[in-house]
Amino acid sequence: MKVGVVTFPGSLDDVDAQRAVRVGGHEAVALWHGDDDLKGVDAVILPGGFSYGDYLRCGAISRFAPVMTSVIEAAGKGLPVLGICNGFQILCESHLLPGALIRNDHRKFVCRDQRLRIERVDTPWTSSYAAGAEVTIVLKNGEGGFVADADTLSRIEGEGQVVARYLEVNPNGSLNDIAGVFNKGKTVLGLMPHPENLIESAHGGSDGRALFSGLLQQVA
């Protein structure tokens, strides 16, 4: 299968995301922010970084990139989409996911190995994890605090749209310790930690690998 990885000006983790796809034995397809052609991919990844220099708000300019017109349309038809860190911010700005990401409550950039609990495994992205799995994923962000108004937060929780929560410490002030959320269809996922950075034991751990293999098994 083909998994497209979008490169925006300022993307930092697009190559890592491509490699994570290839480690899973599938084809990584490079997609360019200025091109609206998705090249027939079966899924799309919006990688981490500082797209367009994070001007205005993180992800605010990327939301209007030509490629996002096609991603938004395809996501509406069920195309699996993963947004990691800055990609999560882009998905929120595109209204593919509820809520928003704001400056960390301690006003500092955080970079650490972060413990998470996987809340939902009945989805294309997380089906390779065990229910309630506790994993360690790399976290690196300056504006990773997930927020939403009271009604939206209640709906997210009530409809089971939380995919992962921070354990042991909340690194950025996210409401309800939320580290990632799905859309209602459970096909679009925004995740603040970086699973693509932990896919092999020799490189620090492999807890992130199941997220990619889960998708690949479901779509293949």
Side-chain angles (χ1 to χ4, degrees):
M1 65 169 292
K2 297 180 178 180
V3 180
V5 179
V6 178
T7 297
F8 298 94
S11 292
L12 298 179
D13 298 288
D14 47 341
V15 174
D16 289 338
Q18 290 175 21
R19 185 172 181 277
V21 171
R22 290 195 296 270
V23 167
H26 296 267
E27 181 180 354
V29 178
L31 301 177
W32 184 241
H33 71 107
D35 187 353
D36 62 4
D37 182 6
L38 297 184
K39 301 182 180 179
V41 298
D42 302 296
V44 169
I45 296 174
L46 307 180
F50 303 91
S51 60
Y52 295 94
D54 280 347
Y55 289 114
L56 301 182
R57 295 182 307 276
C58 298
I61 297 177
S62 301
R63 178 261 179 271
F64 294 102
V67 73
M68 288 305 300
T69 299
S70 298
V71 169
I72 291 168
E73 180 181 357
K77 298 177 181 178
L79 182 77
V81 179
L82 168 63
I84 304 170
C85 195
N86 190 227
F88 188 2
Q89 295 161 344
I90 295 169
L91 291 175
C92 289
E93 289 286 341
S94 301
H95 305 296
L96 289 174
L97 291 176
L101 285 308
I102 65 171
R103 189 84 176 269
N104 295 346
D105 59 352
H106 47 72
R107 302 295 187 269
K108 297 178 181 178
F109 188 91
V110 60
C111 183
R112 55 173 289 150
D113 288 344
Q114 177 67 48
R115 295 288 293 167
L116 305 174
R117 182 175 63 248
I118 304 300
E119 299 282 9
R120 297 295 298 265
V121 297
D122 56 339
T123 76
W125 289 104
T126 58
S127 62
S128 285
Y129 286 107
E134 296 186 3
V135 300
T136 298
I137 303 291
V138 174
L139 180 74
K140 45 184 182 179
N141 65 76
E143 298 186 58
F146 180 81
V147 296
D149 62 69
D151 289 343
T152 300
L153 189 62
S154 178
R155 185 174 68 253
I156 291 170
E157 293 285 7
E159 296 182 1
Q161 290 178 243
V162 177
V163 62
R165 297 186 200 272
Y166 298 116
L167 293 178
E168 299 173 2
V169 62
N170 185 323
N172 47 35
S174 290
L175 298 179
N176 294 9
D177 299 325
I178 292 173
V181 297
F182 285 109
N183 65 343
K184 290 184 179 180
K186 307 297 189 294
T187 54
V188 178
L189 166 61
L191 188 67
M192 189 50 55
H194 288 258
E196 78 282 8
N197 290 159
L198 282 177
I199 58 172
E200 293 180 302
S201 298
H203 295 159
S206 58
D207 282 357
R209 187 170 182 171
L211 188 137
F212 297 96
S213 63
L215 168 70
L216 301 177
Q217 291 169 8
Q218 289 288 315
V219 177

